[in-house]
Amino acid sequence: MTEIDVVANLAQVRARIEAAALGSGRDPREITLVAVSKTHGAAPIRASIAAGNRVFGENRVQEAEDKWPVLKAEFPGVRLHLIGPLQSNKVKRAVALFDTIETVDRPKLARALACEMARAGRRPACFIEVNTGEEAQKSGVRPAEIDAFVRECRETYDLPVEGLMCIPPADEEPSLHFGLLAEMARRNGLKALSMGMSVDYEIAIAFGATHVRIGTAIFGPRPTFRGAEK
Ligand SMILES: *Cc1c(COP(=O)(O)O)cnc(C)c1O
């Protein structure tokens, strides 16, 4: 097994984010690096915190609960984003642990989040996930429904909606999807755009990403045994 140098990887990703931002006339400080630590243990996460990273992404509530309460208590500045699908029966736990929920994608979930936020007195920021590729197996709101769903989240549920998120189809040119997401955010008055992963974050930044979700380029490949990946 090769040793992964998280600190060096992080420095390289940061440098590339900065170059991509400057290259498209943007301020690099507009871009938040969400380090995706799913499947990785506390040691590499600690290394990245020591190197100054403060925002992390996890795709499963249970796994995040196993790893993060201790780390969050130790490093109060750490912020956690949920980037995987959220089942309604895990809303209470998600609202308790996460600072941003990037995967709001249906009215039932919006309603459950609103109820739990009111009950718990804690309001994690919400992003709405858009299924820009209209893929049958993928979660996310369909592009034709996004304007109505944003309105519903704001007006009916009073959710703190900050932005949109997408995961483009693996076999398509991502820029088409990034451009589409940026346009949907613009016309709905949403500032945050979570788009871009290890293979395409520089393109996403050129299209206006404010949050890039990067796992492999920082922490190395994830184990591929069954059940380890999302
Ligand atoms: C795993 C994951 C990522 C990170 O992917 P990499 O290719 O490892 O950078 C980003 N976004 C979501 C939603 C993910 O599930």
Side-chain angles (χ1 to χ4, degrees), residues 36 38 59 83-84 165 167 197-199 213-217 222 229-230:
V36 177
K38 65 189 185 195
N59 68 334
I83 60 169
M165 178 272 218
I167 310 168
M197 318 200 328
S198 291
V199 291
R213 310 178 307 268
I214 302 178
T216 310
R222 288 178 289 274
E229 186 55 41
K230 61 175 181 210

Side-chain angles (χ1 to χ4, degrees), residues 33-155:
L33 169 56
V34 180
V36 177
S37 50
K38 65 189 185 195
T39 77
H40 297 288
I45 294 173
R46 282 179 183 278
S48 67
I49 294 174
N53 195 70
R54 286 295 177 273
V55 184
F56 291 86
E58 290 281 347
N59 68 334
R60 290 179 164 187
V61 175
Q62 178 67 57
E63 182 186 342
E65 284 176 332
D66 292 341
K67 284 164 29 183
W68 283 98
V70 168
L71 290 164
K72 279 187 112 185
E74 195 176 337
F75 303 100
V78 159
R79 292 287 171 268
L80 207 52
H81 286 224
L82 178 63
I83 60 169
L86 178 57
Q87 296 163 260
S88 298
N89 64 359
K90 291 188 182 153
V91 159
K92 184 175 180 176
R93 292 154 60 192
V95 167
L97 182 60
F98 289 93
D99 302 287
T100 299
I101 294 175
E102 296 203 14
T103 49
V104 181
D105 66 351
R106 57 197 190 277
K108 189 184 172 206
L109 177 59
R111 170 196 283 275
L113 283 166
C115 290
E116 179 56 21
M117 287 186 195
R119 195 201 63 81
R122 187 180 146 76
R123 288 172 65 75
C126 292
F127 289 20
I128 294 172
E129 181 177 357
V130 184
N131 186 357
T132 56
E134 307 202 40
E135 296 171 281
Q137 79 286 6
K138 233 178 225 170
S139 46
V141 179
R142 292 193 175 260
E145 283 149 23
I146 187 63
D147 297 358
F149 187 61
V150 169
R151 209 178 315 119
E152 185 176 7
C153 286
R154 283 173 164 157
E155 293 174 9

